[in-house]
Amino acid sequence: MSEVFEGYERQYCELSANLSRHCTAASALDGEQKKQKLSDIKAGLDDADTLIRKMDLEARSLQPSMKAALLAKLREYKTDLNNLKSEVKRVTTSSNVSLTARDDLLESGRVDTLAVSNDQKGRLLMSTERLNQSSDRIKEGRKTMLETEELGVSILQDLHQQRQSLLHAHTTLHGVDDNISKSKKILSAMSRRMSRNKWIVGSLMIALVLAIIIILYFKLTH
């Protein structure tokens, strides 16, 4: 999963949980305090809309195998955000009801408040669960990243050792080449000496044959 998407998801879950708590608190307020609380909640809804758009852009930029699952999750977050907006709208509308009408509807309002509170608790639990799941996925991603980093370090060490071995082999081959060159020079020198010796021996043999022929000639003539 995209780490960027997970970051946006974690921020949204935290923001959604906070907005749910603020809506519950705003329901119990009156006057200026309620207006200020609702103003803060609407600003939070704008931030939530921004996070939804960022998650949508990030999900659509990924591969199809990952995009489908992320878009499905995104639809759940959009539904959750719409529920929050409806709740804020309900709280805002209720702030405009007159005190007399609110007293008349107090009994039924208690039932509505209880139902809304239960709904908000459900959303809060769902947001908390999603936040925990996101944290677990981030931990698993970090663990995988550390394992990959360790594997990379091990591979680099192996490559370094292989490079040293290749350099050593190259140095050894260079020494062998030097020895072969020296051997060629020695063999060339020996070959030249053998050729020179052959000429000397041949000359001596010719001189010896001539000497024998001269000696025989003088013996035969005298």
Side-chain angles (χ1 to χ4, degrees), residues 189-201:
M190 292 177 63
S191 177
R192 287 194 297 269
R193 289 177 183 176
M194 290 178 65
S195 297
R196 189 169 57 251
N197 290 338
K198 285 181 180 180
W199 281 105
I200 293 172
V201 170

Side-chain angles (χ1 to χ4, degrees), residues 40-105:
D40 294 339
I41 292 173
K42 289 177 181 179
L45 288 175
D46 291 337
D47 293 338
D49 274 324
T50 301
L51 288 172
I52 288 292
R53 288 194 296 270
K54 288 181 178 180
M55 283 191 284
D56 186 66
L57 290 174
E58 178 63 21
R60 294 182 187 280
S61 67
L62 298 175
Q63 298 178 355
S65 58
M66 299 176 61
K67 179 167 64 176
L70 295 182
L71 289 178
K73 294 182 67 176
L74 189 58
R75 285 193 291 270
E76 296 180 5
Y77 293 141
K78 289 180 179 179
T79 301
D80 177 70
L81 182 58
N82 289 330
N83 291 335
L84 280 173
K85 290 179 178 179
S86 298
E87 177 60 20
V88 172
K89 185 177 181 181
R90 189 198 66 80
V91 174
T92 303
T93 303
S94 67
S95 66
N96 298 324
V97 178
S98 64
L99 293 175
T100 303
R102 187 172 55 193
D103 290 337
D104 293 338
L105 298 174

Side-chain angles (χ1 to χ4, degrees), residues 163-174:
R163 180 176 179 274
Q164 295 296 327
S165 299
L166 290 173
L167 289 175
H168 179 70
H170 181 268
T171 303
T172 303
L173 289 174
H174 184 70

Side-chain angles (χ1 to χ4, degrees), residues 61-164:
S61 67
L62 298 175
Q63 298 178 355
S65 58
M66 299 176 61
K67 179 167 64 176
L70 295 182
L71 289 178
K73 294 182 67 176
L74 189 58
R75 285 193 291 270
E76 296 180 5
Y77 293 141
K78 289 180 179 179
T79 301
D80 177 70
L81 182 58
N82 289 330
N83 291 335
L84 280 173
K85 290 179 178 179
S86 298
E87 177 60 20
V88 172
K89 185 177 181 181
R90 189 198 66 80
V91 174
T92 303
T93 303
S94 67
S95 66
N96 298 324
V97 178
S98 64
L99 293 175
T100 303
R102 187 172 55 193
D103 290 337
D104 293 338
L105 298 174
L106 180 61
E107 189 64 28
S108 61
R110 289 177 180 174
V111 177
D112 292 339
T113 301
L114 180 60
V116 170
S117 178
N118 290 333
D119 182 59
Q120 290 173 350
K121 287 180 181 179
R123 285 204 305 272
L124 181 60
L125 290 174
M126 183 178 66
S127 298
T128 303
E129 183 179 357
R130 288 173 179 170
L131 182 60
N132 291 333
Q133 291 176 355
S134 298
S135 298
D136 292 338
R137 285 195 295 269
I138 290 173
K139 290 179 181 178
E140 291 177 358
R142 288 178 178 174
K143 182 180 178 181
T144 303
M145 183 177 65
L146 290 175
E147 292 176 352
T148 304
E149 183 178 356
E150 291 177 355
L151 179 60
V153 171
S154 177
I155 292 174
L156 287 176
Q157 290 176 347
D158 292 340
L159 290 175
H160 179 71
Q161 292 177 356
Q162 292 176 5
R163 180 176 179 274
Q164 295 296 327

